[in-house]
Amino acid sequence: MTEQMNKQSKSKFLIPLLVVFGVGVAAAGVYVMNGGDGNQSIEVSANSPDAVAMLALKTKASEIEKSAVGDVAAMLALDEPIQLPVHKFVGPDGTEQTMDQFKGKVLLVNLWATWCVPCREEMPALSELQTTKSGDDFEVVTINIDRGDRTKPDGFLKDIGVDNLALYQDSSMGIFNSLKKEGIAFGLPVTMLLDEDGYVIGSMNGPAHWSSQDALNYIDAAIAAKTN
């Protein structure tokens, strides 16, 4: 069911219906959201790939998707890979940061909130994935979108003993809403695979067992496809 919902997330025609009428998908572990537009400006990159580069991105995304089976079968390749809109969020040291700081690494980017039960349940597995696979070529980046200050998300991570996932926070929810407009996100958690150049090439809505062998194989395939 999660894979079916992820396919629905890529349809811009279904998203408004899900949000406006509040279609219940909690049974599949996804929290539907309809937040504000965020209070930060979103800048779309002007460095759009040409036709040849886009074909290469699509091919890479399709090849990596072949490894999305079992526990991560809902991780689907984007029909049209996009570069994540430039957006500022608060880093663990309290300063404003962007995704540009991670260029050169394959990333698994996860948006979560403390009030989202599936988000809380999958966080230990994301932590295990970070322990197992993080390095020069790969990193797990979890971005909290709770409103307010960092007290609740910081306290949650401490309570469950997760100390290897840096607390990045976007209390404006701007990054979530920009992804919602792109047809990538419609609920929480939402997880994206970014290549080394910052292009979103795979995504899913809903939780997954990110410490499973299926997940490790998927990440291995993504790292193997890295070109620089």
Side-chain angles (χ1 to χ4, degrees), residues 5-219:
M5 288 188 300
N6 197 50
K7 290 180 180 178
Q8 290 174 335
S9 74
K10 293 179 175 63
S11 169
K12 294 186 179 181
F13 297 101
L14 290 179
I15 292 171
L17 293 176
L18 287 170
V19 174
V20 172
F21 294 105
V23 175
V25 290
V30 180
Y31 275 53
V32 174
M33 297 181 59
N34 185 21
D37 290 333
N39 57 20
Q40 299 185 31
S41 61
I42 304 296
E43 302 173 11
V44 178
S45 173
N47 300 320
S48 299
D50 57 24
V52 174
M54 178 55 74
L55 179 59
L57 277 171
K58 290 181 179 180
T59 300
K60 177 165 67 172
S62 179
E63 286 299 310
I64 295 172
E65 186 188 47
K66 293 177 181 178
S67 296
V69 299
D71 291 325
V72 293
M75 197 73 176
L76 303 179
L78 265 66
D79 293 333
E80 296 288 336
I82 66 166
Q83 195 158 41
L84 204 64
V86 177
H87 184 79
K88 293 179 180 179
F89 49 87
V90 178
D93 61 355
T95 62
E96 288 189 340
Q97 300 178 13
T98 69
M99 295 302 295
D100 286 342
Q101 67 183 300
F102 301 106
K103 284 287 183 70
K105 287 186 176 184
V106 173
L107 302 178
L108 191 74
V109 178
N110 176 274
L111 304 188
W112 68 286
T114 58
W115 43 260
C116 165
V117 175
C119 301
R120 296 169 65 99
E121 291 177 346
E122 77 170 351
M123 194 60 63
L126 288 166
S127 175
E128 287 185 41
L129 177 62
Q130 173 76 345
T131 297
T132 305
K133 290 295 182 183
S134 65
D136 293 337
D137 293 322
F138 174 76
E139 188 165 345
V140 177
V141 178
T142 54
I143 303 177
N144 173 267
I145 61 170
D146 279 39
R147 299 286 191 179
D149 62 24
R150 303 162 64 84
T151 303
K152 287 183 66 177
D154 185 55
F156 167 69
L157 293 177
K158 288 178 179 177
D159 287 344
I160 64 173
V162 170
D163 58 7
N164 65 336
L165 293 175
L167 178 55
Y168 299 101
Q169 188 183 30
D170 173 23
S171 60
S172 76
M173 291 178 59
I175 191 168
F176 175 86
N177 285 295
S178 66
L179 292 169
K180 183 171 66 175
K181 291 175 182 177
E182 293 288 348
I184 294 176
F186 68 87
L188 290 178
V190 57
T191 306
M192 299 167 288
L193 180 72
L194 273 62
D195 76 354
E196 64 275 11
D197 295 315
Y199 284 92
V200 183
I201 56 178
S203 70
M204 67 178 289
N205 284 266
H209 299 293
W210 287 110
S211 58
S212 68
Q213 190 59 52
D214 289 332
L216 297 179
N217 292 342
Y218 177 74
I219 296 303

